Amino acid sequence: MLSGIVRDLIRRSMMCETRIYRVRNPCSFTTNAMTDGDDKFCLADYDAVGFDLDHTLAKYRLVELMNLAYDSICESLIKQGYDPKIKDKLSVHKDFVCKGLFLDSEKGNILKLGHDGKILKCSHGTRMMEKAELLSVYGEDLHWEHFQEAIGHVKRHGKDLKFCFFENYFDIPALVCCAHIVDFLDKENGGPCEKYDFWKDIYGAFGENYIPAQFTKNAGWFFPSVKKNPEKYLKPSSNGVREWLKDLKGDKRVVFLMTSSAIDFAGMVIEIVLGSDWRDYFDIYLTDASKPGFFTDNKKFKLTENGEDKGSVDELEPFKTYSNGNMPDLMKFLSKQTGKSDPKVVYFGDSLCADSFPAKTFGNWDVVLVLEEMEAEGYHPDLKDILEPKRKVPKHQVNLEKDPEEERYILSQSWGSFFYHEEEDTKHDKHMNTYWGRIISHYNTIAVPTIEYIAGMPIDYRYTKFKNSDVGNTDGFYPGKPKPLLT
């Protein structure tokens, strides 16, 4: 859970961020399990299939989750000394909430970025800024000064915390907290402040609510509520997903769970989602993986038994639980289990910064992105529309129901589409032209709204891939493109 924020919190508590990763040119890397001219993706072609947990295998009830996250962050800030008036009802501000926005922390501005670093929209606190004000603050070309750092490493936080982005439903509600704080500071100052320094307090609120030790201690405001009534916040998977996971394990294919959540929280979540027999669906269980560091650092795997750390290991064994770890040691395990010297791996994840970017860039894995904005912005086909009409194939019965109130929390009239900004589409070709649209097409093989969509299909179904050489390519969306991208 919160793989980016929590791991940053832990790392920052131990050391300064001085590491510089060697990253391939984001426009020139090659992809695994892909040859020139091969524009199809098929699960049957892979030797190993991995799954993230939160917002991937585990589907949350987003309205309840986001309200709890907002209340928890507010309570922590009030405890730090902030005016209790910063806490409001999130439902009042749900149109301000939007995935993928950036905080320009020293200026107190919240930004929506284009694929080339241009600022598409901007608010100062809760007030949306007019074009003239934007130009006076960011210059005539509106190019954001931190764009190259943000796009080159897809890091949640910039150097010295001068910027951050909000990419998952545990942290997105904090946007409202940030905006309210800016409003209060400006009111006290009699106008905009020269410089803002509140982000460290938001960061501290994340720590008080989300670091793994808080779950164990039943501390903070977030974990106690989830532990008391997990069914309020989590949706069980359909029987179709369970059947599909079992099918994946055929043909000597290794299926693994890899999450950055600690074992106690992950165990609670996955038991609600898959049931008490959840271990039957995987060949190995990896927790506290510290993504994206899992792909770049060299932490030893630690064996976990009955929730207790049994020490570091040099070699992984099937059907056991491990924490921490690193990609090379996992690849050795996958090679041994599959009998392949270079096993082809596909990973399902929801985080563009903790899953898609590092898995593709450092692991050369293919990635299936789970992206709920597709469903909220797009259309909702029936199963009969998903399957080819004349294709006589078995299919699993999955759950494609959607929640209208949940969609109202995901969609934002104020900020617009997660994928597309019409004013910047000079060619009128409906390519993805936002910052995140560029990341989606470049680091992912396909994208689906939820696991349920792909679980309803046979293992040998062939999907059209994103063409990652094309900025903003839209070919890889399944079962169809979001509405803003339809020509």
Side-chain angles (χ1 to χ4, degrees):
M1 186 190 74
L2 268 181
S3 56
I5 286 181
V6 171
R7 303 311 149 191
D8 282 347
L9 283 162
I10 293 172
R11 283 196 290 268
R12 283 178 179 275
S13 69
M14 297 186 294
M15 58 184 288
C16 297
E17 283 198 334
T18 56
R19 171 184 290 273
I20 299 176
Y21 297 126
R22 292 184 178 178
V23 184
R24 297 188 188 117
N25 183 330
C27 297
S28 64
F29 66 80
T30 57
T31 60
N32 136 349
M34 181 177 178
T35 58
D36 291 342
D38 182 6
D39 63 347
K40 297 295 182 180
F41 162 77
C42 180
L43 282 168
D45 295 340
Y46 291 86
D47 305 303
V49 183
F51 290 92
D52 180 36
L53 180 56
D54 294 301
H55 304 298
T56 302
L57 276 177
K59 174 77 169 68
Y60 283 84
R61 304 182 191 276
L62 293 185
V63 175
E64 288 79 4
L65 177 74
M66 292 173 73
N67 276 277
L68 174 60
Y70 174 73
D71 290 344
S72 300
I73 294 163
C74 285
E75 290 297 336
S76 181
L77 290 169
I78 292 167
K79 179 183 174 184
Q80 293 180 52
Y82 281 85
D83 191 318
K85 291 180 181 178
I86 66 166
K87 184 180 179 181
D88 201 351
K89 290 186 178 297
L90 184 62
S91 59
V92 176
H93 304 283
K94 59 190 173 190
D95 189 59
F96 190 82
V97 173
C98 184
K99 187 175 185 177
L101 299 179
F102 284 76
L103 173 68
D104 193 337
S105 60
E106 292 186 342
K107 291 182 173 70
N109 296 337
I110 297 169
L111 317 173
K112 178 182 178 181
L113 289 184
H115 70 93
D116 56 358
K118 183 178 180 179
I119 298 169
L120 305 177
K121 285 193 173 185
C122 181
S123 77
H124 181 76
T126 57
R127 176 179 59 82
M128 299 302 291
M129 296 171 66
E130 298 293 336
K131 185 70 171 289
E133 185 181 5
L134 258 179
L135 293 170
S136 69
V137 174
Y138 291 104
E140 288 296 321
D141 62 358
L142 292 180
H143 190 273
W144 194 40
E145 61 183 311
H146 302 297
F147 172 70
Q148 288 304 323
E149 182 181 359
I151 199 72
H153 301 284
V154 198
K155 291 173 62 177
R156 186 178 298 273
H157 301 289
K159 185 179 180 182
D160 301 324
L161 298 181
K162 289 184 178 180
F163 75 83
C164 66
F165 57 72
F166 299 80
E167 194 224 6
N168 68 58
Y169 296 108
F170 297 106
D171 67 25
I172 290 171
L175 282 165
V176 178
C177 299
C178 294
H180 281 169
I181 290 172
V182 171
D183 289 348
F184 273 94
L185 292 174
D186 286 358
K187 186 176 180 180
E188 289 181 354
N189 189 56
C193 301
E194 185 176 339
K195 186 178 179 180
Y196 297 85
D197 189 31
F198 63 86
W199 172 241
K200 64 182 185 299
D201 300 324
I202 300 287
Y203 206 57
F206 286 147
E208 187 168 15
N209 283 290
Y210 296 136
I211 60 173
Q214 297 294 80
F215 183 89
T216 305
K217 295 187 293 186
N218 203 35
W221 289 267
F222 183 83
F223 285 133
S225 294
V226 177
K227 289 173 76 172
K228 183 178 180 180
N229 188 6
E231 291 85 358
K232 180 180 179 180
Y233 302 100
L234 288 155
K235 296 181 181 181
S237 291
S238 67
N239 288 332
V241 168
R242 298 181 179 93
E243 294 165 1
W244 175 72
L245 288 171
K246 289 180 179 178
D247 286 352
L248 282 175
K249 293 182 73 174
D251 301 323
K252 292 186 177 181
R253 195 177 296 110
V254 175
V255 179
F256 63 95
L257 177 71
M258 185 174 76
T259 173
S260 288
S261 293
I263 183 60
D264 47 5
F265 181 79
M268 178 195 73
V269 169
I270 200 164
E271 187 160 334
I272 295 294
V273 173
L274 291 180
S276 58
D277 62 344
W278 63 269
R279 291 180 179 274
D280 295 345
Y281 300 105
F282 307 101
D283 295 289
I284 194 168
Y285 329 101
L286 310 177
T287 67
D288 204 14
S290 299
K291 297 175 295 180
F294 180 88
F295 296 94
T296 57
D297 300 339
N298 196 32
K299 288 185 178 179
K300 299 286 288 185
F301 276 104
K302 295 180 180 179
L303 177 65
T304 303
E305 291 182 349
N306 300 318
E308 295 184 2
D309 180 359
K310 297 298 182 180
S312 299
V313 299
D314 293 321
E315 187 173 342
L316 302 177
E317 298 180 31
F319 309 113
K320 292 190 176 182
T321 302
Y322 299 90
S323 64
N324 300 143
N326 61 85
M327 184 198 64
D329 284 349
L330 173 59
M331 291 303 293
K332 290 177 184 177
F333 169 81
L334 297 178
S335 179
K336 182 177 180 180
Q337 294 300 116
T338 62
K340 303 287 185 65
S341 59
D342 185 21
K344 297 176 180 178
V345 182
V346 61
Y347 187 69
F348 286 73
D350 71 293
S351 174
L352 289 156
C353 69
D355 297 325
S356 301
F357 171 76
K360 173 59 67 178
T361 305
F362 303 111
N364 201 26
W365 295 357
D366 283 342
V367 181
V368 174
L369 178 66
V370 178
L371 188 61
E372 294 182 73
E373 281 69 22
M374 285 176 58
E375 187 172 61
E377 293 197 30
Y379 57 92
H380 188 260
D382 295 324
L383 273 176
K384 61 179 173 32
D385 298 320
I386 297 175
L387 290 170
E388 297 173 16
K390 296 181 180 180
R391 189 177 173 92
K392 303 295 183 181
V393 293
K395 62 180 182 293
H396 303 299
Q397 296 300 316
V398 294
N399 180 9
L400 301 184
E401 293 180 2
K402 60 178 182 177
D403 182 345
E405 182 63 12
E406 193 169 280
E407 289 188 349
R408 284 190 279 271
Y409 273 74
I410 296 175
L411 296 172
S412 171
Q413 294 296 319
S414 296
W415 294 104
S417 171
F418 182 68
F419 308 98
Y420 178 72
H421 195 72
E422 188 171 10
E423 293 177 14
E424 293 301 306
D425 186 9
T426 56
K427 295 181 179 179
H428 306 290
D429 60 359
K430 294 298 184 81
H431 67 286
M432 288 190 288
N433 57 7
T434 62
Y435 173 93
W436 296 106
R438 175 173 174 171
I439 299 294
I440 289 168
S441 63
H442 202 68
Y443 297 106
N444 298 280
T445 302
I446 66 169
V448 296
T450 67
I451 288 287
E452 299 279 349
Y453 280 84
I454 197 168
M457 301 299 292
I459 302 299
D460 62 354
Y461 188 85
R462 301 185 70 79
Y463 306 81
T464 301
K465 295 178 178 180
F466 287 115
K467 295 181 178 67
N468 54 44
S469 59
D470 299 342
V471 173
N473 177 265
T474 61
D475 291 344
F477 288 114
Y478 179 83
K481 298 176 185 179
K483 280 184 179 178
L485 302 175
L486 295 175
T487 55

